[in-house]
Amino acid sequence: MTQRKKTGVLISGRGSNLKSLIDAAQQDDFPAEIVVVISNRPDAEGLDYARKANIPALVVDHKEFETREDFESKLDEALREYDVELVCNAGFMRLLTEHFVAKWLNRQINIHPSLLPSYKGLHTHERVLKDGIKITGCSVHFVRTDMDSGPIIAQAAVPVLTDDTPDTLAARVLEAEHKLYPHALKLVASGQVRLLAEQVIIENDDTVTAPLFAPPL
Ligand code: GRF
């Protein structure tokens, strides 16, 4: 295999998506390796997943910086120290300025627990249940300055059940996230993803065309 893409993961909390990326990257044939994990919160539980896997786990605490720009330059510096080529935001809860986004343009991806461009922002599952939609899901996209926007790389559809609560729905979507994020990173790191204007083209796309019915047929 050609050189694996050096990947940095940005987190703020639990880190279950980080764990799914670490697990996937432990496979020899995975086209990316996680070389550093950075949290903006010192108490992020996810840092332990990195430590256990012997991956450098750094804290760049946004509260220690006077401006967003100062925080981001430190973040950028840390990523460059580890020769990072791709950045994965995994539950990273800071909005990034256009300056940082431009530095990592088309080299930074994010996972969001909805079928974008619907339900950007927080409390997606509550809003999905309130609206009564029957299918939701998760998306991985390239990062742009506007929150949860940018060319979509991959999505998973997840049915909403009648007796779902925000927690049961979140758990079902999260299970899909844990498969989707490594899949999307693999596509990007292996060079199967191409951008045409602001649309992602996947090389050798053999997506199954069967629809998902909710409720089922
Ligand atoms: C996930 O639902 C992710 O889609 C969203 O924040 C949550 C992070 O969970 N951006 P975890 O920290 O990866 O467990």
Side-chain angles (χ1 to χ4, degrees):
M1 195 175 50
T2 50
Q3 206 68 38
R4 305 167 84 198
K5 288 269 185 229
K6 291 191 193 329
T7 302
V9 184
L10 304 183
I11 64 167
S12 299
R14 182 177 56 182
S16 69
N17 278 290
L18 162 67
K19 173 151 195 321
S20 75
L21 296 176
I22 291 176
D23 289 349
Q26 265 160 5
Q27 307 302 313
D28 291 338
D29 61 348
F30 196 79
E33 64 170 320
I34 314 295
V35 294
V36 64
V37 172
I38 308 176
S39 170
N40 66 305
R41 297 180 53 118
D43 57 351
E45 305 93 300
L47 287 168
D48 281 338
Y49 290 124
R51 292 183 189 118
K52 275 188 199 130
N54 291 317
I55 296 167
L58 315 185
V59 173
V60 179
D61 186 345
H62 63 277
K63 291 197 189 123
E64 286 175 5
F65 297 86
E66 265 186 21
T67 64
R68 217 172 256 278
E69 285 74 12
D70 289 348
F71 163 66
E72 290 179 357
S73 342
K74 186 70 203 175
L75 209 56
D76 184 62
E77 195 185 301
L79 291 167
R80 285 173 202 279
E81 241 165 62
Y82 286 86
D83 295 325
V84 165
E85 298 165 280
L86 283 176
V87 178
C88 290
N89 297 1
F92 180 66
M93 303 301 282
R94 297 302 293 170
L95 287 177
L96 295 162
T97 66
E98 56 188 342
H99 194 59
F100 188 90
V101 170
K103 274 189 177 164
W104 292 94
L105 191 72
N106 301 334
R107 296 186 299 144
Q108 185 180 23
I109 66 180
N110 178 48
I111 187 155
H112 181 74
S114 78
L115 287 177
L116 291 172
S118 295
Y119 302 102
K120 295 175 178 178
L122 296 173
H123 309 297
T124 50
H125 307 301
E126 282 87 341
R127 289 186 283 141
V128 158
L129 289 171
K130 195 158 168 251
D131 287 348
I133 64 165
K134 303 297 182 223
I135 295 177
T136 182
C138 46
S139 310
V140 176
H141 63 95
F142 284 110
V143 171
R144 295 291 182 265
T145 316
D146 289 339
M147 183 183 54
D148 300 326
S149 70
I152 293 165
I153 300 159
Q155 295 183 301
V158 174
V160 181
L161 306 189
T162 311
D163 55 0
D164 263 334
T165 64
D167 285 350
T168 60
L169 183 56
R172 193 174 312 114
V173 172
L174 194 63
E175 230 183 287
E177 290 185 48
H178 295 160
K179 294 188 181 138
L180 185 72
Y181 212 177
H183 176 52
L185 175 58
K186 186 176 181 176
L187 290 171
V188 173
S190 64
Q192 285 179 79
V193 165
R194 197 158 51 85
L195 268 165
L196 192 59
E198 281 290 270
Q199 273 190 33
V200 165
I201 313 284
I202 309 282
E203 307 292 346
N204 310 318
D205 184 359
D206 53 3
T207 298
V208 184
T209 53
L212 168 70
F213 293 89
L217 292 178

